[in-house]
Amino acid sequence: MVCFRLSLVPGSGLVLLCLVLGAVPSYALELNLTNSEKATCLYAKWQMNFTIRYETTSNKYKTVTISGLGNATYNGSTCGDDQNGPKIEVQFGSGFSWTVNFTKEVSNYSIESISFSYDTHDNTTFPDAKEKEVFTVYDPVAFRIPLDDIFRCNAVLTLQEDKVVQHYWDVQVQAYVQNGTVSTKEFLCDKDKTSTTMMPFVPTSLPSPTTTPTPKEKPGIGSYSVNNSNGTCLLANMGLQLNMTHDKVASVININPNTTDFTGSCHSQTALLRLNSSNIKYLDFVFAVKNENRFYLKEVNVSMYLDNGSVFSAANNNLSYWDAPLGSSYMCNKEQTVSVSGAFQINTFGLRVQPFNVIEGKYSTAQDCSADDDNFLVPIAVGAALAGVLILVLLAYFIGLKRHHTGYEQF
């Protein structure tokens, strides 16, 4: 049985939307799924809208915002069974559909993925669309929540994939509701946590603040790739060692390629490689094109679970590593360090990446990091040579001057 209520956003919710997203109509969706015993098994209440950029027949781009969800239906929503997890499916407008999938672990459940589909055959919403077809964007969220908690996030959460920007706010959701009663214990998103003053919880089992991490052996080399409609578009081979400092405690973690999942996306100017595992929510490497002829590592974002149950996060979108010409790959067999922040660094081993212009799924000619060292040594060598010439000239001058002076004395 599926029960739902659709209502206009209260005034305060509309104020938040106007401040962040602009004054557009919006609706709050509320869904209560019950099982065969008429007990609640999944509860969700949230607001969302979508901004879509599409190309017209005149080769120009238009942007449309989808926010009127007043005719939403929930066909396909389910509490799940022994083989499949719970799922929310929402249909609205002319050919729009939205799906969120949940999975369960021993003591946690995850918002596993979110997908959104839209149909550009709808001439009212997409007038003069150049491509008439159904498009789907998929985001592997992999956000983990304690099993007995309800997830809440009043702040605006944004997902951006390809030409679609998704906004979510005033979110409350609990999959795997226990005993038919929605929990009152809330698990807050990071953005909501920053607005609440909380005393940090430090378990007594944590090492002392002066503890230094035990050195680890080199990590295994993982092979990662990203595909799009044209085939393989990104290649990466690397061993990754994460160095982090949290609550004055330093730790080192080697990423195990055999237990690490990967996904990503490729665009003309940017490319993304995302890694995740049981304890890593996401580790993102974002590459960009510069000067239309080179690529580099521009951004790294990480969010992961620590042994004490807390979440460690770091981000930097102003990096400049792994620089190489477009049409080639970047390679560095020696150990390198990517400094993301004062509290987070990544050591790489056996690195080779090519985020653009991959042909037939193979690496192109590599630019080796030793070339960077050579470029650094060239001005030093030139300077040393000039200094040597100058010393020789001065020596010759003083020797000549001395001989000339001695000749005067003899005379």
Side-chain angles (χ1 to χ4, degrees):
M1 178 186 298
V2 178
C3 304
F4 61 88
R5 182 174 72 250
L6 184 65
S7 59
L8 282 170
V9 179
S12 59
L14 182 58
V15 170
L16 173 63
L17 181 62
C18 292
L19 288 173
V20 182
L21 306 176
V24 296
S26 58
Y27 294 83
L29 302 174
E30 186 171 8
L31 173 67
N32 189 74
L33 287 178
T34 58
N35 57 24
S36 58
E37 299 175 352
K38 297 184 179 181
T40 298
C41 56
L42 185 152
Y43 175 79
K45 185 178 182 180
W46 74 105
Q47 296 185 65
M48 62 182 179
N49 72 9
F50 309 87
T51 300
I52 304 169
R53 187 170 180 260
Y54 69 96
E55 188 175 5
T56 67
T57 52
S58 58
N59 296 323
K60 296 182 179 180
Y61 284 89
K62 289 185 178 180
T63 299
V64 59
T65 297
I66 311 301
S67 56
L69 312 181
N71 61 344
T73 58
Y74 299 83
N75 299 325
S77 298
T78 175
C79 294
D81 52 34
D82 293 337
Q83 284 75 38
N84 302 292
K87 177 171 59 176
I88 299 175
E89 290 197 11
V90 183
Q91 304 83 33
F92 53 93
S94 300
F96 297 100
S97 63
W98 179 83
T99 302
V100 57
N101 290 285
F102 301 88
T103 58
K104 181 181 178 181
E105 300 172 13
V106 177
S107 58
N108 299 281
Y109 67 94
S110 296
I111 303 175
E112 188 67 18
S113 63
I114 294 176
S115 60
F116 171 65
S117 298
Y118 59 98
D119 190 350
T120 55
H121 288 96
D122 178 12
N123 292 321
T124 302
T125 308
F126 304 99
D128 302 324
K130 184 176 182 179
E131 298 177 316
K132 298 290 187 180
E133 58 181 287
V134 177
F135 294 89
T136 299
V137 292
Y138 173 84
D139 195 287
V141 181
F143 187 84
R144 191 160 57 176
I145 305 159
L147 190 60
D148 295 330
D149 291 8
I150 183 170
F151 172 70
R152 177 174 71 79
C153 192
N154 292 331
V156 176
L157 301 174
T158 301
L159 298 178
Q160 182 168 358
E161 189 73 24
D162 201 11
K163 299 175 183 178
V164 177
V165 179
Q166 308 173 51
H167 292 112
Y168 304 93
W169 67 101
D170 290 347
V171 177
Q172 297 181 63
V173 62
Q174 183 181 4
Y176 304 97
V177 173
Q178 305 295 300
N179 303 318
T181 303
V182 177
S183 178
T184 57
K185 184 180 179 183
E186 295 181 332
F187 184 84
L188 303 181
C189 64
D190 291 340
K191 287 187 176 181
D192 280 9
K193 288 177 182 177
T194 58
S195 62
T196 304
T197 302
M198 298 180 64
M199 293 297 293
F201 170 69
V202 182
T204 56
S205 60
L206 278 178
S208 64
T210 57
T211 298
T212 56
T214 303
K216 285 182 174 287
E217 59 185 16
K218 291 183 180 180
I221 306 297
S223 296
Y224 312 104
S225 62
V226 176
N227 298 322
N228 60 14
S229 57
N230 297 320
T232 302
C233 57
L234 182 153
L235 292 170
N237 285 57
M238 50 189 171
L240 298 172
Q241 187 176 80
L242 310 184
N243 299 267
M244 65 200 73
T245 302
H246 184 70
D247 290 340
K248 298 182 180 181
V249 178
S251 58
V252 178
I253 297 176
N254 284 347
I255 289 186
N256 182 355
N258 298 322
T259 59
T260 301
D261 297 323
F262 54 92
T263 184
S265 60
C266 300
H267 308 286
S268 60
Q269 297 295 311
T270 60
L272 164 69
L273 172 64
R274 168 173 286 187
L275 308 182
N276 61 79
S277 63
S278 59
N279 65 322
I280 298 176
K281 293 168 61 178
Y282 57 82
L283 174 58
D284 290 348
F285 297 89
V286 180
F287 301 88
V289 173
K290 68 176 181 180
N291 302 327
E292 302 299 327
N293 61 359
R294 301 187 71 85
F295 72 83
Y296 68 106
L297 177 66
K298 181 181 186 297
E299 181 176 346
V300 170
N301 305 300
V302 65
S303 183
M304 60 186 301
Y305 302 99
L306 302 180
D307 291 340
N308 65 354
S310 60
V311 176
F312 175 86
S313 298
N316 191 331
N317 62 359
N318 193 32
L319 302 175
S320 185
Y321 293 96
W322 308 348
D323 188 305
L326 281 177
S328 68
S329 58
Y330 179 87
M331 181 172 68
C332 195
N333 288 321
K334 65 181 182 180
E335 180 180 351
Q336 276 192 321
T337 299
V338 175
S339 182
V340 180
S341 70
F344 183 65
Q345 298 82 39
I346 303 175
N347 295 337
T348 63
F349 302 82
L351 171 70
R352 189 170 187 180
V353 294
Q354 185 170 346
F356 300 98
N357 301 347
V358 176
I359 300 175
E360 296 181 351
K362 298 179 181 179
Y363 283 108
S364 300
T365 303
Q367 173 169 311
D368 197 287
C369 59
S370 59
D372 299 336
D373 298 336
D374 293 341
N375 291 337
F376 177 72
L377 292 174
V378 166
I380 296 177
V382 172
L386 290 175
V389 171
L390 180 61
I391 292 172
L392 290 175
V393 170
L394 290 174
L395 286 174
Y397 171 76
F398 284 117
I399 291 172
L401 183 64
K402 183 177 181 181
R403 287 178 178 176
H404 184 69
H405 183 69
T406 302
Y408 272 111
E409 288 181 348
Q410 292 175 350
F411 180 77

